[in-house]
Structures are given as structure tokens and as C-alpha cells.
Amino acid sequence: MGTNTFHLLIVEDRPGQPPHPLLRTKVGVRLGEGGISQGEIAPAPYARALQTLRGFKEEMELHQVTEVRATATSAMRVSRNGPALVRDILDQTGIQVEVIGGEREAELIAKGIRQAVALGPEKHLLMDIGGGSVEFIIANEDTIFWKQSFEIGAQRLLDKFFTEPSGVFPRESLRAQIAYLAEALAPLTAAVAAHKPLAGLVGSSGSFDTLADLTVGRVRKESELPPSTWLSVADFERHFAHLLTLNHDERVALPGMFPMRADMLVVASVIVEYVLKTYNLTRITTSAFALKEGLLAELLGK
């Protein structure tokens, strides 16, 4: 249960075989909309969360699910009424939600990425841009050398820097966000200097899926996404420059744009641009796998 999107993954565990996916689906709940920067889940997203979980419960019953693991991240973690939503979900669906901390979130994201990307023995910089938080991990195929969760997710950045009614992201807002990132991500800068990961960025799920969809020119279902893809820095720079020239409606109309991310992708792309330029990264690998696949791998002892 992310700050932007709720995901449901149902698999059949077959002894001696990889888990067989029966259903992959996601719903744009926007749990942080209108409240996360004030430390509150607003009434409309609160209601959307309950409705979505009731729908997920129906899918679980249809698929005769016998074991359920439910986690929630930044919005539930920091909101004053997050515990009330956990209780309401349990009362209405019987699903017990575990609200996880940022360090735990980063660990599960790294585990999920490893299911999709062959990291090998070299250190890589891993990144997951959520609505409430952004996780950075320096890891290889079997070791996490450094990790940190930063409460600078896309919804928070929208609230802070993207208040222009025209829907165009002003240049002064771009400069202000970059200055903010330089300060907020000082621990990451120190970690990159200390650990010297390879000159490539591995970005998981969310905004990176949408950037890949923009490149192929269509919104793909989650089940259609390959576990990992290579996104050229040139393609990213082209998308980024184009996004900065468009208003909200024009971004929604782009082939490959997931409508819920039409504004968030702008501030998320500023983070990607900052990371690429600041740490001299020359490659981008996108991972369709993230937290939920990490949780599944842990559950199955992989």
C-alpha cells in the first residue's frame, strides 16, 4: 500500500518451481493527495483506500488465497490517522496491515530488484521513487552496503514546488527543487563518494515504468512489463526536456503516460536528473520488480 499506488500480487507457490503469478494489479489510490504534507490522510483518499482493499479482498476470495501479507509505507507511516485506517481495514476486510519503516522498505525494494536485475558482484545505486518517500540503496547481488529512506516523495515535492495553476513546471521551481535535493540528499552524496557504485542507476517500478512506457509509446499492463529494461540516458533527457514544456492536459495526452503520474513524473524526473548529473551516471536500468516482489521472495525464503 504505497502513497500513490496500491498493488495486489497473487501467486501460487509450487514446490520446486518458481511461484506462478495468478494476478498482478494496481490501483492509483493517491493516498497522500491533499494531506500528506500536513501529516494526515484526507477523507477522499481514506475512502479510496478502504474501497480498494475491499476489492482486493474479493479477488483474494475468488483466487482462494490462503496466506496474506499486507504492508503499507510512507503515507501510513507518517500520518496521524494512519493507525485508524489500519483498524478500519482490519474491521472491514479482515486484512491485517503491517506499516513498515523506511529502512525495512529499502531492504525489501533491494530484494525485489534482485529478482529482476542481475546485479552481479559490483556495487550499484538502486532507487525507488514513491509518493511519500524515496529509497536509495547501494548493493550488489547479495549485500546491502548502505541504504536510506528520504521523506521526499513525489506527492511531497508536488505540494512543495508545483503549485502553478497552469500545470507548467516553472524554471524557478526547477531550480528550487534542485537546491532542495542537494541539501536533502547530502547523506546519499557522502555514501556514493564512500562506496563508489558503478556508473549506472537501477530504478524500480513507478516513475521508471512510466518513463519506459513513454519510450515505447503506450501504457503497458503490469503483467506485460519485462522484469527489467534498459532506458538510455538520451531517451530520459528527451522525455525530461519535453515534460518541462507541457501543461497537465498535454502530459496526460502523451502516448505511454499513466494519467495519475502526469504531474508527479515531472518532479520525479527532476530527482532522476539530479542523481544522474551529480553522481556522473551514464546508464539507467529499470526494474519492474520492487517491494512486493521483495516481500514475496522473503516469504518464500528466496
Side-chain angles (χ1 to χ4, degrees):
M1 297 167 56
T3 302
N4 286 332
T5 311
F6 283 16
H7 296 263
L8 175 62
L9 171 62
I10 299 177
V11 302
E12 183 179 13
D13 184 23
R14 299 171 172 176
Q17 300 181 43
H20 176 62
L22 301 176
L23 178 69
R24 285 181 177 269
T25 190
K26 62 184 178 182
V27 177
V29 174
R30 294 287 297 272
L31 192 62
E33 184 179 42
I36 192 171
S37 296
Q38 289 76 45
E40 193 83 15
I41 300 170
Y46 194 107
R48 290 197 296 266
L50 289 171
Q51 180 182 7
T52 300
L53 264 293
R54 288 193 293 267
F56 282 3
K57 178 66 173 179
E58 290 180 6
E59 289 287 359
M60 293 175 201
E61 290 173 347
L62 285 172
H63 286 86
Q64 299 179 324
V65 167
T66 56
E67 187 167 356
V68 178
R69 190 71 62 88
T71 59
T73 58
S74 179
M76 298 276 277
R77 196 158 60 223
V78 303
S79 297
R80 288 181 293 274
N81 56 345
L85 181 53
V86 170
R87 288 193 299 272
D88 284 345
I89 290 170
L90 181 61
D91 290 345
Q92 296 187 25
T93 68
I95 297 171
Q96 179 65 63
V97 175
E98 177 191 7
V99 181
I100 61 173
E103 297 285 294
R104 168 81 168 141
E105 185 175 357
E107 289 173 5
L108 290 171
I109 288 165
K111 190 177 283 285
I113 288 173
R114 286 176 179 143
Q115 311 306 309
V117 181
L119 296 180
E122 301 291 340
K123 297 176 183 177
H124 293 72
L125 178 60
L126 317 181
M127 176 182 182
D128 184 286
I129 304 173
S133 62
V134 179
E135 282 66 47
F136 288 97
I137 307 106
I138 297 175
N140 64 12
E141 61 189 356
D142 55 25
T143 304
I144 292 177
F145 300 94
W146 178 90
K147 63 183 182 295
Q148 189 164 335
S149 178
F150 297 84
E151 295 291 339
I152 56 167
Q155 184 63 56
R156 295 180 193 278
L157 295 174
L158 278 181
D159 294 345
K160 191 175 183 69
F161 295 106
F162 202 165
T163 57
E164 177 62 42
S166 71
V168 175
F169 194 60
R171 289 287 167 175
E172 56 269 25
S173 294
L174 174 61
R175 289 190 290 270
Q177 185 181 333
I178 289 172
Y180 173 76
L181 292 172
E183 182 176 350
L185 295 178
L188 172 64
T189 301
V192 169
H195 292 283
K196 298 179 174 55
L198 291 178
L201 176 67
V202 182
S204 70
S205 195
S207 297
F208 288 97
D209 287 344
T210 300
L211 287 167
D213 284 350
L214 288 175
T215 302
V216 300
R218 68 184 184 91
V219 177
R220 291 171 291 182
K221 296 178 182 176
E222 198 163 341
S223 58
E224 295 180 88
L225 292 171
S228 68
T229 57
W230 179 70
L231 175 66
S232 76
V233 171
D235 279 341
F236 166 75
E237 296 289 358
R238 177 171 54 84
H239 295 320
F240 180 49
H242 193 204
L243 288 168
L244 291 176
T245 68
L246 305 177
N247 62 32
H248 173 81
D249 291 341
E250 290 166 337
R251 287 191 296 273
V252 170
L254 289 173
M257 177 61 75
F258 186 47
M260 185 192 77
R261 291 205 175 92
D263 293 338
M264 288 191 177
L265 191 63
V266 180
V267 291
S269 295
V270 176
I271 307 177
V272 177
E273 174 76 359
Y274 175 83
V275 169
L276 291 176
K277 291 289 191 291
T278 302
Y279 309 125
N280 300 312
L281 305 180
T282 57
R283 299 187 305 278
I284 303 171
T285 303
T286 70
S287 168
F289 292 3
L291 191 153
K292 66 183 183 298
E293 288 81 12
L295 192 65
L296 176 65
E298 183 179 271
L299 187 65
L300 298 179
K302 298 188 182 297

